[in-house]
Amino acid sequence: MIPTGGQVDEFVIWAAGFFDGEGSVNISPIICQVSISQEDQPVLALFARWEGSLSIAAKAGKKTKNGLTYKKDCWQYQFSYEGAEGFLIAILP
């Protein structure tokens, strides 16, 4: 959603800042993946405004490749192709 007529959607502004700190974009020749990772599942659920899915990325107590152990579950919201496009356009301004 792009603000029109001088109206600013405060949620989109917040989402852009949150994505700046917690999100990532991975581009390869066959796919563009946009995702946000966070321990706070309810916060990520707010991104359902754009088409995507919420899933657990890592369980608490699991060791990472670099030997660290997660203290809490880590969640990830991944945008579908249409959702990624809509989200990135919305936060562009």
Side-chain angles (χ1 to χ4, degrees), residues 44-79:
L44 290 180
L46 297 172
F47 288 88
R49 175 179 197 166
W50 296 279
E51 191 176 333
S53 62
L54 179 63
S55 60
I56 192 157
K59 295 289 272 176
K62 182 180 175 185
K63 285 196 174 189
T64 64
K65 291 178 184 177
N66 59 7
L68 299 174
T69 303
Y70 286 97
K71 293 181 181 177
K72 294 183 176 182
D73 289 344
C74 184
W75 295 86
Q76 185 174 55
Y77 192 89
Q78 288 188 316
F79 297 93

Side-chain angles (χ1 to χ4, degrees), residues 1-49:
M1 180 166 112
I2 299 173
T4 59
Q7 295 177 334
V8 177
D9 185 334
E10 291 183 13
F11 177 76
V12 173
I13 293 169
W14 172 86
F18 193 87
F19 178 74
D20 188 39
E22 304 293 337
S24 65
V25 177
N26 296 310
I27 300 172
S28 74
I30 57 173
I31 194 165
C32 173
Q33 180 182 19
V34 178
S35 60
I36 304 169
S37 298
Q38 174 68 225
E39 292 176 349
D40 194 351
Q41 179 188 11
V43 170
L44 290 180
L46 297 172
F47 288 88
R49 175 179 197 166

